[in-house]
Amino acid sequence: MATANISNENIAHDVHGHDDDHHHGNFITTYIFSTDHKMIAKQYLLTGILWAFVGGLLSIIFRLQLGFPGMSLEFLRPLLGDWISSSGSLDPEFYLALVTMHGTIMVFFVLTAGLSGTFSNYLIPLQIGARDMASGFMNMLSYWLFFLASIIMFISLFLETGPAAGGWVVYPPLSALPQAIQGSQAGMTLWLVAMVFFIASQLLGGINYITTVINLRTSGMSFSKLPLTIWAFFLTAVIGLLSFPVLMAASLLLVFDRSFGTSFYLSEIYIGGEALPNVGGSPILYQHLFWFLGHPEVYIVLLPALGITSEVVATNSRKPIFGYRAMVGSMLGITILSFVVWAHHMFVSGLNPFLGSIFMFLTLIIAVPSAVKVFNYLTTLWKGNIVFTPAMLFSIGLVSVFISGGLTGIFLGNSAIDIQLHDTYFVVAHFHLVMGSASFFGLMAGVYHWFPKMYGRMMDRHLGYVHFWLTFVGIYLVFFPMHYIGIAGFPRRYYSFTTFDILDTFADLNMFISVAAILTFSAQAIFAYNFFYSMYRGRLAPANPWKSNTLEWTTSRYPGHGNWPGEIPKVYRWPYDYSKPGAKEDYIPQHIPFSATPESNLPHENEMIAEEKAAAKVDTTSNEAKA
Ligand code: HEM
Ligand SMILES: [Cu+2]
């Protein structure tokens, strides 16, 4: 295999006219400092899976505390040492640190890097017909900056004072005052430094994705023929490029406040009876800066998952995606709107109620493009000749959790209602369904769908089914009850609720949630086994196992660096030519010229707008003449 790679590579390079000389195919340049987008994608995927395991484990630890408040956690002492107090319960400060690390790792390292990093890297060049990203070197740098960031964050777990404890949003003044709590000391500095590296990585990656999509599309691959995955990755990169720098600035200013005596976020503040010299800053400024990334971030996480779902649903319904233009339009709408709703996270920050009503209005408009997408998924499924692959189940599961979690967004978006629900478990339920679970399902759909391309082998579909059903049922069991305890007033981020009589009523439900969480987490072992076993022992994958139209399935089983050994295929049609009336097969890949399928060259009804229809008519007649 290694030799095949090298020869492919040489051919590719001759055709391509690369002048770089760094692919000698040795271990380091092939597997570690690789500039091949496919290898970088696999690095992102494996690192993402690793952090998903760590992040999940952290949540299991704090769920134990919440579900079984009286239980002795002594058995965790080998893992947690002094974070288990002498009474056998979890150290309260460490509880908050666990929540913080869980959120940060899951949002940034698993769902941003692991999901978007993997599939943007893997699919952009392969689906648009390019040999690699615009800059392979920057791409490699992007992965390694991410890796460095994640290691810095991880190391903070081993500090004597523990990792950052301030929630994934690390609001000042708590985060700005090292003397406030243990979790504001070195751990907070490492958190901020890690985020700066992570954002640098995201910016390098994003610039590459955008440049590649704009400049390196193969002949015929117009924007209107782009697979929806690529549209999603492209717009995700745009969102990231415009919003991440704001968090980078916010983090740097916070470092200044903490370490260099500035007062960006602090003013007139007393700690332990002592008046601090800070004047003129505002912690609310930080909230604005944070949520200017924080809200778009939820779409940075979600859009790629929605793109993957479009691809998987169309392929496995054997139908053209319904409303391609509406899908692109709604993603554009989401992209733009995601920048103007950030203050819906700040309804209780003392925001002027008039401003609140404007943000409420803008927030509720986002429901429109979201609903358009849901409608189009369902209409694509409607009367489809559905093939229930594991990827398809996870995609349908995504649509389900996206609806369930999206609906509660409409409640929260109303500023008057949000005042009751803010910082309760209702919010936790909302975002875990709509962001956490939906994106996780998108990640899984992507892995099951593209595994055969990435590793040349098939995953076991029966294990995939078991994995899906346990996860799907498990996720609802975990997050659905949270709505109820949230409406009843159960606050988020409380370490112990048993000291308040009123909260005692939730003990049973909390135990239920914890048990469900442990089972759902354990079920992921089935996936891990299937993934790693299939990588080496899975059935060899056929060239195009799902009979899909997109270009990645036209490459060889182990495409070398450069993707296509000879010329890059040209593109003639959009990616959703499934079940065309008159066609011999129920799919016609994008690189098949119209002249090869004259019997079926009339467009699907909803495929083209008027002038394109006219052009297509001319096209088909001339093709027919040729044929
Ligand atoms: C119909 C669309 C949506 C609306 C109207 C909406 C509205 C809201 C509102 C108002 C809040 C603040 C609640 C509070 O803090 O009290 C919120 C929180 C949140 N939403 Fe949404 N949302 C929507 C969709 C989404 C999507 C698609 C995602 C993820 C991809 C998402 C992720 C989150 C997250 C992560 C939080 C909580 C952040 C935190 O406090 O730590 N939301 N949502
Ligand atoms: Cu938001």
Side-chain angles (χ1 to χ4, degrees):
M1 183 197 126
T3 39
N5 259 347
I6 292 166
S7 61
N8 260 354
E9 225 166 70
N10 293 340
I11 300 168
H13 278 203
D14 291 341
V15 174
H16 193 35
H18 251 289
D19 56 1
D20 43 2
D21 55 358
H22 49 263
H23 319 293
H24 308 295
N26 70 34
F27 184 82
I28 303 242
T29 54
T30 310
Y31 295 106
I32 303 189
F33 294 112
S34 171
T35 53
D36 181 352
H37 71 101
K38 298 186 292 301
M39 182 55 67
I40 295 175
K42 291 177 191 175
Q43 291 174 323
Y44 268 110
L45 180 58
L46 291 173
T47 320
I49 290 177
L50 170 75
W51 293 127
F53 174 75
V54 174
L57 197 64
L58 298 180
S59 73
I60 294 304
I61 298 175
F62 67 69
R63 266 320 318 178
L64 280 178
Q65 170 67 38
L66 276 174
F68 307 93
M71 187 171 91
S72 164
L73 298 179
E74 203 56 53
F75 66 95
L76 286 176
R77 194 176 290 282
L79 186 64
L80 299 180
D82 285 348
W83 296 118
I84 302 291
S85 69
S86 51
S87 66
S89 58
L90 209 59
D91 179 89
E93 284 207 19
F94 192 60
Y95 175 87
L96 190 52
L98 284 176
V99 182
T100 308
M101 285 294 115
H102 163 73
T104 311
I105 289 175
M106 287 305 201
V107 170
F108 293 112
F109 299 161
V110 179
L111 294 178
T112 305
L115 169 63
S116 184
T118 301
F119 291 105
S120 299
N121 264 305
Y122 199 77
L123 292 178
I124 289 177
L126 279 173
Q127 287 197 332
I128 66 170
R131 300 241 176 247
D132 202 329
M133 285 295 169
S135 165
F137 176 75
M138 256 167 66
N139 206 19
M140 171 185 85
L141 207 58
S142 155
Y143 170 77
W144 282 104
L145 280 171
F146 153 57
F147 190 77
L148 180 66
S150 68
I151 292 299
I152 293 175
M153 193 73 79
F154 187 63
I155 284 175
S156 75
L157 277 162
F158 301 96
L159 292 175
E160 204 182 335
T161 49
W168 74 290
V169 298
V170 303
Y171 283 174
L174 191 62
S175 57
L177 298 171
Q179 64 274 48
I181 54 167
Q182 288 192 344
S184 297
Q185 296 180 30
M188 187 61 74
T189 307
L190 290 192
W191 193 97
L192 292 165
V193 170
M195 283 315 291
V196 170
F197 281 116
F198 180 73
I199 294 169
S201 142
Q202 286 300 301
L203 297 180
L204 288 179
I207 292 169
N208 240 330
Y209 305 155
I210 293 172
T211 317
T212 307
V213 173
I214 293 180
N215 291 313
L216 298 185
R217 282 165 291 127
T218 182
S219 140
M221 181 62 90
S222 61
F223 267 86
S224 61
K225 292 196 176 76
L226 278 188
L228 288 171
T229 30
I230 302 302
W231 269 109
F233 300 147
F234 177 73
L235 293 173
T236 303
V238 171
I239 300 181
L241 208 59
L242 296 178
S243 62
F244 263 121
V246 179
L247 181 64
M248 167 113 67
S251 304
L252 285 173
L253 297 188
L254 191 48
V255 171
F256 288 168
D257 270 12
R258 294 169 50 79
S259 309
F260 306 118
T262 56
S263 297
F264 291 105
Y265 305 128
L266 296 173
S267 187
E268 289 147 33
I269 194 155
Y270 288 77
I271 186 161
E274 176 206 353
L276 300 185
N278 309 78
V279 279
S282 160
I284 301 294
L285 168 63
Y286 176 88
Q287 293 195 21
H288 282 293
L289 296 178
F290 178 84
W291 288 113
F292 194 80
L293 163 88
H295 182 82
E297 169 66 18
V298 305
Y299 287 98
I300 292 177
V301 164
L302 189 67
L303 273 186
L306 294 174
I308 288 171
T309 300
S310 308
E311 216 52 27
V312 172
V313 165
T315 306
N316 290 298
S317 298
R318 316 308 296 160
K319 269 179 69 186
I321 189 91
F322 183 87
Y324 175 89
R325 273 159 215 279
M327 283 300 220
V328 174
S330 59
M331 285 195 281
L332 271 169
I334 287 175
T335 301
I336 295 164
L337 284 170
S338 72
F339 284 104
V340 290
V341 302
W342 76 90
H344 65 210
H345 298 271
M346 299 168 61
F347 286 145
V348 298
S349 68
L351 196 73
N352 180 324
F354 177 68
L355 204 54
S357 64
I358 293 188
F359 276 100
M360 171 174 104
F361 176 72
L362 293 167
T363 298
L364 294 179
I365 295 182
I366 282 213
V368 176
S370 308
V372 167
K373 293 197 72 75
V374 166
F375 177 79
N376 285 359
Y377 292 129
L378 295 180
T379 338
T380 306
L381 287 166
W382 180 252
K383 292 189 176 169
N385 194 2
I386 299 178
V387 190
F388 286 104
T389 62
M392 182 65 157
L393 286 179
F394 272 104
S395 298
I396 298 173
L398 179 152
V399 177
S400 166
V401 286
F402 184 52
I403 297 174
S404 312
L407 285 176
T408 52
I410 299 175
F411 291 71
L412 294 171
N414 289 278
S415 52
I417 301 178
D418 183 61
I419 287 171
Q420 309 300 314
L421 294 172
H422 181 80
D423 269 345
T424 68
Y425 260 74
F426 192 86
V427 177
V428 179
H430 159 70
F431 73 78
H432 274 94
L433 281 179
V434 78
M435 174 191 196
S437 305
S439 309
F440 180 76
F441 278 22
L443 174 65
M444 285 302 147
V447 172
Y448 281 105
H449 192 76
W450 279 288
F451 188 92
K453 188 75 244 166
M454 294 179 97
Y455 295 101
R457 290 173 186 273
M458 305 298 286
M459 286 178 81
D460 185 278
R461 68 158 64 200
H462 300 286
L463 287 178
Y465 294 145
V466 179
H467 174 224
F468 169 75
W469 283 109
L470 289 178
T471 308
F472 182 70
V473 174
I475 272 178
Y476 271 107
L477 292 182
V478 173
F479 298 119
F480 215 71
M482 289 186 184
H483 294 100
Y484 294 101
I485 59 176
I487 291 173
F490 191 77
R492 83 194 267 208
R493 295 189 177 134
Y494 270 32
Y495 148 80
S496 166
F497 54 90
T498 43
T499 38
F500 305 98
D501 282 348
I502 165 137
L503 300 184
D504 246 355
T505 36
F506 305 120
D508 288 345
L509 217 41
N510 261 316
M511 195 194 310
F512 179 86
I513 292 172
S514 292
V515 172
I518 292 167
L519 293 179
T520 314
F521 179 68
S522 312
Q524 305 315 307
I526 300 169
F527 168 76
Y529 169 80
N530 195 357
F531 184 86
F532 290 107
Y533 181 87
S534 305
M535 201 187 277
Y536 298 103
R537 297 281 166 78
R539 192 160 54 81
L540 288 187
N544 189 353
W546 321 119
K547 298 189 187 325
S548 179
N549 285 340
T550 36
L551 288 184
E552 74 273 25
W553 305 103
T554 64
T555 59
S556 62
R557 215 170 124 247
Y558 293 112
H561 197 172
N563 294 344
W564 289 269
E567 262 181 63
I568 301 180
K570 284 193 174 57
V571 162
Y572 298 94
R573 38 181 102 226
W574 76 324
Y576 301 105
D577 266 351
Y578 291 108
S579 304
K580 271 215 134 170
K584 293 188 199 80
E585 298 249 31
D586 72 348
Y587 68 114
I588 313 176
Q590 283 194 278
H591 67 287
I592 306 290
F594 288 102
S595 57
T597 56
E599 71 287 353
S600 60
N601 281 341
L602 288 176
H604 275 293
E605 283 157 35
N606 51 33
E607 201 169 307
M608 291 175 177
I609 52 171
E611 69 256 31
E612 276 192 349
K613 259 186 197 155
K617 263 195 199 119
V618 178
D619 231 76
T620 29
T621 34
S622 61
N623 284 337
E624 267 156 18
K626 263 186 249 151

